Amino acid sequence: MKLLVINPNISDDVTALIQAEALRSAGPHTELIVRTAGHGVEYIETRFESLIAAGAVAELIAEYTHDDGTRAGGETGGTAVDGVVVAAFGDPGMPALKELVDVPVIGITEAALCAAALQGHRFSIIAISDRIQAWYLDCVERFGFGGRLASIRSINQSLNSIGSVQSDFKETLLALSRQAVAEDGADVVILAGAPLAGLARELEGQLPVPVVDGISAGIRMTEAVVALKSGAHRGGSFAAPPVKARRGLSENLDAALARAQAAHLSATA
């Protein structure tokens, strides 16, 4: 099994955290291709920043999901993948990205929410900034888990570096997690965001409830969905977008969209 893991922001140090946790989480027969967004922002906190990131994620998905192992235009170096993990909490571009390709595209938020729901009734999200809370709340409600959200608690101090959030605020994050359990009634704690990748392992045994890591959940859930072999979207709201005039798209994205539309038309003819 081969998975494409995309960091939707431009921070290489966060990509390194994602890759380290993804490698620890993946099964022995899973190959990972980890990539960083080609454009965007250092880290995503708002709906607009998520909008920017969605386009960058779509470009990478289009580049790495060719069936023939080549990139658009016949260049070598492309590689077909079995699934895609969108590795930023808030899932930029989701669920719309599911319309683009036949393979499962899973965001770490939806994966973490599902993992939390399997382990408890109410969950709390621990985030890296106050500003990010509105976007996260939108995401939880969009995936249908609003009624099970106990709280979103977040760091309310300036960040020194997005790559050092764990080391700079480990005790703060632990305290917020404990408050979520004791004061908000959380049965499960979700450590939100790629900058916190791997922290759940360090906090094991220090909290009285399960702790979910978004990257770990994203990898394992995507592996599971790929293994289910449930089939592609050929109808319903996640079918490929209708054929219509378009212009200005990159070669990769235009080709990916054309393939999705052709597959849909072939299946429904």
Side-chain angles (χ1 to χ4, degrees):
M1 182 185 303
K2 186 178 294 184
L3 301 183
L4 173 64
V5 183
I6 300 173
N7 175 12
N9 65 53
I10 62 170
S11 301
D12 290 330
D13 48 1
V14 174
T15 301
L17 291 171
I18 292 170
Q19 183 165 9
E21 181 58 27
L23 288 169
R24 287 191 291 260
S25 302
H29 302 296
T30 298
E31 178 184 347
L32 302 175
I33 302 169
V34 183
R35 294 292 181 266
T36 307
H39 66 269
V41 298
E42 180 185 8
Y43 61 98
I44 306 163
E45 290 184 278
T46 73
R47 302 175 186 91
F48 184 73
E49 291 173 342
S50 175
L51 180 65
I52 295 171
V57 172
E59 291 288 352
L60 283 168
I61 291 175
E63 183 176 356
Y64 282 93
T65 52
H66 290 264
D67 292 334
D68 61 2
T70 61
R71 297 177 182 176
E75 297 179 12
T76 59
T79 178
V81 297
D82 300 296
V84 178
V85 180
V86 180
F89 214 84
D91 294 357
M94 298 291 289
L97 293 168
K98 297 178 188 289
E99 300 176 20
L100 183 60
V101 289
D102 283 347
V103 300
V105 182
I106 307 294
I108 65 170
T109 309
E110 61 179 344
L113 295 175
C114 289
L118 290 171
Q119 298 180 79
H121 180 65
R122 289 169 60 78
F123 58 84
S124 286
I125 294 172
I126 308 302
I128 64 172
S129 76
D130 289 342
R131 180 65 195 274
I132 215 167
Q133 288 197 29
W135 173 40
Y136 282 2
L137 180 59
D138 284 353
C139 191
V140 172
E141 292 177 341
R142 183 174 69 243
F143 285 121
F145 287 95
R148 299 178 69 170
L149 178 65
S151 63
I152 301 177
R153 288 182 174 265
S154 57
I155 298 170
N156 62 2
Q157 302 174 54
S158 298
L159 306 182
N160 299 318
S161 166
I162 193 61
S164 65
V165 173
Q166 290 188 43
S167 56
D168 292 343
F169 294 100
K170 181 178 178 180
E171 292 305 316
T172 299
L173 293 162
L174 178 58
L176 291 170
S177 300
R178 286 172 171 163
Q179 288 172 344
V181 177
E183 300 175 22
D184 306 329
D187 302 311
V188 183
V189 168
I190 299 172
L191 297 179
L196 302 185
L199 182 59
R201 297 177 186 270
E202 295 187 34
L203 299 186
E204 184 176 357
Q206 299 184 58
L207 290 169
V209 299
V211 182
V212 174
D213 181 298
I215 300 299
S216 179
I219 296 295
R220 298 302 285 177
M221 289 287 187
T222 305
E223 287 177 328
V225 173
V226 170
L228 284 173
K229 298 182 179 180
S230 303
H233 291 285
R234 294 289 184 248
S237 65
F238 290 110
V243 177
K244 61 189 69 169
R246 57 182 182 261
R247 66 184 176 192
L249 302 184
S250 69
E251 186 177 5
N252 281 331
L253 192 55
D254 188 71
L257 188 53
R259 286 193 304 273
Q261 292 168 334
H264 172 71
L265 291 173
S266 177
T268 56

